[in-house]
Amino acid sequence: MTDVYRALADPTRRGILDLLMERDGMTLFEICGRLATAGTGSSRQAISQHLAVLEECGLVRSARVGRTKVHHLRTEPLREITRRWPIDGEEDRR
């Protein structure tokens, strides 16, 4: 669980997760383009490293489609956090 918190601590990684929440299944090129228009000055290599951290902790899953690598959001690690600390009113749903 510690890795998830470390991954979420970085604003660029949270931005990547936000992009994948808006539109799941994006390539590195698409993510870099969208972050560039949002004003993030990170290089392609830096974004790739951020994606590796997100993938390592389970928040992102990558799949090869031909020569392209497509990135998908995984919310299961976030669900573990809400199970540990339920949101107000959700205790009754258990």
Side-chain angles (χ1 to χ4, degrees):
M1 190 63 69
T2 307
D3 295 334
V4 173
Y5 297 117
R6 183 176 65 93
L8 292 173
D10 186 277
T12 301
R13 289 193 280 267
R14 289 193 308 269
I16 292 169
L17 294 174
D18 288 341
L19 288 175
L20 291 173
M21 184 68 188
E22 290 173 17
R23 187 175 142 244
D24 196 32
M26 296 176 71
T27 65
L28 175 61
F29 180 78
E30 292 170 318
I31 293 169
C32 289
R34 290 201 178 198
L35 287 175
T37 59
T40 302
S42 297
S43 68
R44 184 175 180 198
Q45 182 179 4
I47 301 300
S48 182
Q49 290 172 346
H50 284 300
L51 282 166
V53 170
L54 291 169
E55 193 169 356
E56 185 179 306
C57 72
L59 288 168
V60 169
R61 176 183 53 86
S62 299
R64 287 246 176 231
V65 178
R67 293 178 58 192
T68 307
K69 194 173 185 183
V70 180
H71 305 280
H72 300 276
L73 177 65
R74 293 187 67 243
T75 57
E76 290 81 10
L78 299 175
R79 287 190 189 117
E80 290 299 319
I81 292 171
T82 60
R83 277 191 208 110
R84 183 171 178 179
W85 295 297
I87 298 170
D88 290 339
E90 290 195 5
E91 307 86 38
D92 301 331
R93 296 183 195 164
R94 288 184 176 194

